Amino acid sequence: MRDFSPESLSMLTLFRSVKSIACFIFLVATADLSAHDQIPGQPQTRPIAIVNATIHPIDQPVLKQGMLLFDDGKIIAVGSKLQLPKDVMEIDADGKHVYPGLIDSLTDLGLREIRAVEETDDRMEYGRENPNARAWVAVNPDSELIPVARAGGVLVAMTAPRGYWLRGQSAVIQLDGWTVEEMKLSAPAGLFVDWSAVHSTNSDSKKRREEREKKLREFDQLLTQARAYAQDQEKPTMRRESNVRLESLVPLVKREMPLIVEADRQSEIESAVTYAVSQELDLVIYGGYDAVQCAPLLKQHGVPVIVGSTYRLPMRRHEPYDHSYTLPSRLERAGILYSIGGPGM
């Protein structure tokens, strides 16, 4: 066995370290690093008009050989004969159809890539009370699911976190942009809550009631603290340490954002409406499977419903096979304001 001096051993260790670093740099430099090939649109420099197209507006009949004018990224006129600006760029869409972009009312788009791979799933924080969790912070602009959604006509989405009980704050994003700041349209857009957490599955009715009342008392206390926190922050002479959890609830108690409650069963929906009214909160129901049974209550307090999914089996054996599929039409007949969201939660 050959003997090495301490100096030789030091030089050998240094050589091996440099060699490892060089190999690492080479591997990183030659790796196939790529994202999706969708390039965000450039800001408009002049008005653009789509002409000779079949246009499908939301609130009026179809326009054949119609014109659509937009500037600064916004539609400013739709009609058969428009007075176009002098510097307008015209796009001849003869034989083509123009439809409004779709809005996904509630989804986890940008927060999840592959459900089975934990490292790509950023929908949920630890713990049950996370009103300060902000969905837009975790949105991945390079998600491969964004171009898929855009190809299906979805251009705007409200993305929201998951969790048990107080899930966190949702955000409305446009599916175009290099960064989250470019994509963000409204944040926070609402506090997302799982109302089924209030309703225990305990077989003992007394214990179910006690557990429900305990959960609501905890929420009461949190909202009371948030109101006190908001009042203290408005006093110029008052100095108080910041509290991210209470601060996240201030827009809710000020009615600057709604409470978005996931609730399907009639008891959950009625409980959520009663609580929101007692706390003077704006409310939106997500899911709403039994919302038609609650129609008088929802109409009385102006509570809208986001239909979570129409492609699902009935909740109860005695219900028609298409009970979920017909929910939007039944909500419309009942006079309840609604939208159809995706099941991507």
Side-chain angles (χ1 to χ4, degrees):
M1 183 175 179
R2 184 178 178 183
D3 294 330
F4 290 94
S5 65
E7 292 79 5
S8 299
L9 288 172
S10 298
M11 290 299 294
L12 182 60
T13 302
L14 178 61
F15 173 76
R16 287 176 175 172
S17 299
V18 172
K19 184 178 179 181
S20 298
I21 294 172
C23 181
F24 172 75
I25 293 174
F26 174 78
L27 289 173
V28 171
T30 57
D32 184 14
L33 302 177
S34 62
H36 62 68
D37 56 1
Q38 178 179 295
I39 304 299
Q42 296 292 329
Q44 275 187 263
T45 56
R46 57 174 174 157
I48 298 175
I50 300 175
V51 300
N52 300 323
T54 301
I55 300 176
H56 299 259
I58 297 174
D59 56 352
Q60 55 182 295
V62 174
L63 296 174
K64 294 185 178 181
Q65 297 296 306
M67 305 172 69
L68 186 148
L69 178 65
F70 57 98
D71 193 12
D72 196 24
K74 297 180 180 179
I75 297 174
I76 57 177
V78 179
S80 299
K81 295 181 180 180
L82 300 178
Q83 187 69 32
L84 301 180
K86 293 182 180 179
D87 58 341
V88 70
M89 179 187 6
E90 292 190 25
I91 299 176
D92 189 354
D94 186 27
K96 296 181 173 59
H97 294 254
V98 179
Y99 295 88
L102 299 177
I103 301 173
D104 196 333
S105 303
L106 202 62
T107 179
D108 58 6
L109 196 62
L111 304 180
R112 170 184 58 84
E113 199 71 13
I114 304 173
R115 193 183 297 272
V117 181
E118 185 178 354
E119 290 77 9
T120 68
D121 191 337
D122 203 9
R123 295 175 296 169
M124 185 166 59
E125 298 294 332
Y126 289 105
R128 296 187 174 188
E129 296 182 1
N130 297 297
N132 51 295
R134 299 178 294 174
W136 61 96
V137 173
V139 168
N140 175 21
D142 283 329
S143 170
E144 292 290 345
L145 301 181
I146 291 178
V148 175
R150 285 177 60 89
V154 179
L155 303 183
V156 176
M158 181 162 71
T159 185
R162 294 292 293 174
Y164 184 76
W165 187 215
L166 301 184
R167 294 173 170 175
Q169 302 170 60
S170 62
V172 177
I173 58 174
Q174 61 178 349
L175 306 187
D176 182 69
W178 290 106
T179 66
V180 173
E181 288 302 316
E182 291 182 1
M183 299 171 67
K184 185 173 64 176
L185 295 178
S186 176
L191 178 68
F192 197 30
V193 176
D194 176 15
W195 207 256
S196 65
V198 175
H199 294 260
S200 170
T201 56
N202 197 307
S203 58
D204 189 323
S205 60
K206 181 179 179 181
K207 290 183 178 180
R208 280 202 310 271
R209 184 175 63 254
E210 291 174 351
E211 291 175 10
R212 181 177 67 250
E213 291 175 352
K214 179 183 177 183
K215 183 69 70 175
L216 293 178
R217 280 198 304 270
E218 292 174 355
F219 201 14
D220 284 342
Q221 185 178 6
L222 202 55
L223 294 177
T224 300
Q225 292 173 350
R227 290 188 173 95
Y229 181 85
Q231 291 176 357
D232 289 346
Q233 295 298 91
E234 292 174 356
K235 297 176 182 178
T237 57
M238 175 68 72
R239 284 195 173 186
R240 184 171 180 171
E241 293 183 2
S242 62
N243 185 312
V244 293
R245 177 174 291 184
L246 296 181
E247 192 165 339
S248 66
L249 292 170
V250 170
L252 179 69
V253 297
K254 287 186 173 182
R255 307 186 83 163
E256 296 172 356
M257 71 176 183
L259 181 70
I260 304 174
V261 166
E262 181 168 2
D264 275 313
R265 299 183 183 277
Q266 182 176 353
S267 59
E268 297 171 358
I269 295 172
E270 291 174 346
S271 169
V273 174
T274 302
Y275 186 82
V277 171
S278 68
Q279 288 287 343
E280 297 183 349
L281 304 175
D282 293 329
L283 179 67
V284 176
I285 298 294
Y286 171 73
Y289 186 87
D290 287 341
V292 176
Q293 287 90 305
C294 311
L297 184 65
L298 295 174
K299 290 170 63 177
Q300 178 184 352
H301 298 288
V303 177
V305 174
I306 300 174
V307 178
S309 176
T310 57
Y311 295 103
R312 58 176 175 174
L313 294 173
M315 287 176 57
R316 306 171 184 93
R317 293 180 63 88
H318 66 272
E319 293 171 337
Y321 71 92
D322 60 349
H323 199 67
S324 299
Y325 193 80
T326 60
L327 178 57
S329 66
R330 289 185 286 115
L331 289 172
E332 184 174 2
R333 289 197 299 270
I336 300 173
L337 184 65
Y338 74 94
S339 68
I340 302 176
M345 297 298 294

